[in-house]
Amino acid sequence: MQKDFLRILDFNTEELEEFILLAIEIKEKFVKKIFHKPLVDRTLGMIFDNPSTRTRISFEVGMLQLGGHAISLNSNDIQLSRGETIQDTARIISRFLDAIVIRTPSHEVVEILAKHADIPVINGLTERFHPCQILSDIFTIKEKKGYYKGIHIAYIGDGNNVANSWISAALRLKFHLTLACPEGFRPNREVLETAGKYAETEIQVIENPYDAVSDADIIYTDVWVSMGQDSETKKRKEVFSPYQINSNLVEKAKKDVLIMHCLPAHRGEEITSQVMDGKNSIIIDQAENRLHLQKAILEILLTRNEKNKKE
């Protein structure tokens, strides 16, 4: 098992399934109010350079529910803002903390932090990947459908960090993935090249969203304008307007298709309120499951890391 949780592809199929199976167990205990605190006296540091609702709350609450503590950090609050290197920061805070979750624009920063830290580093979101979100979403699909292998997921919209992580997950967990993205807004080329070489199931990128959803079990979307792209707002709204998840699009999919969105949603843009609040939507359940899947990540990484140190 890897020390850190930076990318889906850092783990093999069995390891990813282990996270999901533990999340199922953790949620069952949570619902039944069964005591489960394997991380007593452990401390999680949370470095959030970008705004966050679900990631920050779910990690903080999750750590507390597992018996540990969470402290919130920000580059402006620590010496990174005054020129201390990432390398030195990693070495020092490794002496104080048991794990770090970081949400920052640069994936390279996360990689450097993980390289020089002696404790687990968890990617809470970068411009390239959002692994916690996608593994949590697969846990939700497993919960709702009973399975995910062989399922057909249609991702509609921007080929961003979420799309990149969906492609990585399809490579490991063997479901079918169709991404409908406008020309010029496709997923990361390196990620697509990896998929082309190693995919055992169908992973394709097309432009027509109606073709993408025609046989889909899941329709998934994300915002059209991500953090740091505000200057592109007008252009992106024009380009992505045909990619809205609305009732006309949903009608082209299976009757029991499930609608997912990683949130926050811009209602009336990438998704309509009618669809988001409709009978096929599992968006709120999906958001809740971030808590349980991330608790599984914390438990596995912290307990395995401690065991490895003793050995």
Side-chain angles (χ1 to χ4, degrees), residues 255-287:
K255 288 186 178 180
D256 63 347
V257 68
L258 299 179
I259 310 299
M260 302 182 76
H261 190 311
C262 58
L263 299 179
H266 293 171
R267 291 171 179 254
E269 291 183 13
E270 75 275 1
I271 189 169
T272 63
S273 290
Q274 182 181 6
V275 172
M276 187 167 174
D277 300 328
K279 61 183 178 63
N280 296 76
S281 173
I282 57 169
I283 292 171
I284 303 303
D285 293 338
Q286 171 191 0

Side-chain angles (χ1 to χ4, degrees), residues 158-175:
D158 188 20
N160 57 17
N161 51 1
V162 172
N164 293 335
S165 291
W166 269 118
I167 294 169
S168 300
L171 283 170
R172 288 287 187 260
L173 297 173
K174 300 176 177 60
F175 51 82

Side-chain angles (χ1 to χ4, degrees), residues 22 25-26 29 34-43 62-69 98 295-304 306:
L22 181 57
E25 180 183 332
I26 285 173
K29 290 180 178 179
I34 296 174
F35 183 89
H36 182 69
K37 296 186 181 295
L39 301 183
V40 172
D41 291 333
R42 307 296 195 281
T43 303
M63 193 65 182
L64 294 172
Q65 289 180 356
L66 292 172
H69 307 273
D98 296 288
K295 284 162 71 176
I297 292 173
L298 289 166
E299 181 173 341
I300 288 174
L301 292 189
L302 267 68
T303 56
R304 294 290 173 83
E306 182 179 81

Side-chain angles (χ1 to χ4, degrees), residues 66-202:
L66 292 172
H69 307 273
I71 61 173
S72 180
L73 304 168
N74 183 290
S75 293
N76 293 325
D77 299 329
I78 57 181
Q79 294 295 335
L80 278 172
S81 64
R82 300 186 65 249
E84 185 168 63
T85 67
I86 301 168
Q87 293 90 333
D88 288 344
T89 299
R91 295 184 186 104
I92 295 301
I93 62 179
S94 292
R95 303 294 179 95
F96 302 138
L97 303 170
D98 296 288
I100 306 164
V101 58
I102 178 169
R103 184 184 183 104
T104 191
S106 172
H107 190 78
E108 182 182 8
V109 166
V110 178
E111 295 277 2
I112 295 171
L113 184 68
K115 179 180 179 180
H116 294 277
D118 295 326
I119 58 178
V121 173
I122 301 169
N123 177 4
L125 177 146
T126 66
E127 90 291 347
R128 199 177 306 169
F129 297 109
H130 199 357
C132 295
Q133 176 69 60
I134 300 313
L135 197 58
S136 173
D137 293 337
I138 294 166
F139 161 45
T140 303
I141 293 169
K142 168 77 172 176
E143 183 180 66
K144 297 296 183 180
K145 291 283 191 180
Y147 66 100
Y148 51 79
K149 288 184 179 178
I151 208 164
H152 181 196
I153 297 172
Y155 175 93
I156 312 297
D158 188 20
N160 57 17
N161 51 1
V162 172
N164 293 335
S165 291
W166 269 118
I167 294 169
S168 300
L171 283 170
R172 288 287 187 260
L173 297 173
K174 300 176 177 60
F175 51 82
H176 303 288
L177 177 65
T178 302
L179 302 103
C181 307
E183 186 63 36
F185 296 90
R186 292 162 62 92
N188 179 272
R189 184 173 64 181
E190 182 181 339
V191 172
L192 288 175
E193 289 175 353
T194 301
K197 290 180 181 178
Y198 302 109
E200 296 180 28
T201 53
E202 186 177 43

